[in-house]
Amino acid sequence: MPSDLIFSLREVDIRFGKKEIFNNLNLNIHRGDLIALVGKNGVGKTTLMKIIFGTQDLDNGELWSYPNLQVSYFSQNFEIIDSNKTVEQELLSVLKNDDEKYKINIYCSNLNLTKEIKIRNLSGGQRRRVGLAKSLIPEADIMLLDEPTNHLDLECIEWLEQH
């Protein structure tokens, strides 16, 4: 029977200067796992997500991931670089092909976004919704959402909880 393990950390250490974030951390993620990271600010939740996403180096230990593992990451510090694009243009950038354009309509509708509006004309919360849609649209083996409900209204949060 094949293993459904898709990501693993063994005896991982992470330090920022003298501050030790992780010491001898072991973690296994299997296909279909739903994991919530809960803890106080500064304990390493975002750092762990960055390790999984591949943007944080290990000080010590081993990292293994399934070949061609697809990881989607929505950062709590999300920013859109080109504010001259429309919402639709921004979301098109994450589609693999034109057959997936229907996803833009689904996410814009459910996140209360008008796809023809320029990013520069959106509020901070609306920009955050665009970023969230960009993270949710592509198919991923692991989806990392770092404080995804910050600046979202109750209706959007309830929709996210259902999906």
Side-chain angles (χ1 to χ4, degrees), residues 5 25 47 53 56-57 65 71 75 87 97 112 115 122 131 149 152:
L5 181 68
L25 172 68
T47 300
F53 190 58
Q56 174 66 53
D57 293 330
S65 65
V71 180
S75 167
V87 169
N97 58 58
N112 296 322
K115 62 185 184 179
L122 299 177
T149 58
L152 295 183

Side-chain angles (χ1 to χ4, degrees), residues 23-73:
N23 178 20
N24 204 29
L25 172 68
N26 292 302
L27 171 72
N28 289 324
I29 300 176
H30 295 84
R31 193 167 307 285
D33 281 352
L34 298 174
I35 301 168
L37 298 177
V38 180
K40 295 179 182 177
N41 289 342
V43 298
K45 299 180 301 290
T46 298
T47 300
L48 180 57
M49 288 189 200
K50 288 179 179 180
I51 292 169
I52 296 167
F53 190 58
T55 57
Q56 174 66 53
D57 293 330
L58 309 179
D59 290 323
N60 191 34
E62 296 178 27
L63 179 152
W64 175 87
S65 65
Y66 190 81
N68 300 314
L69 183 73
Q70 298 296 310
V71 180
S72 175
Y73 178 48

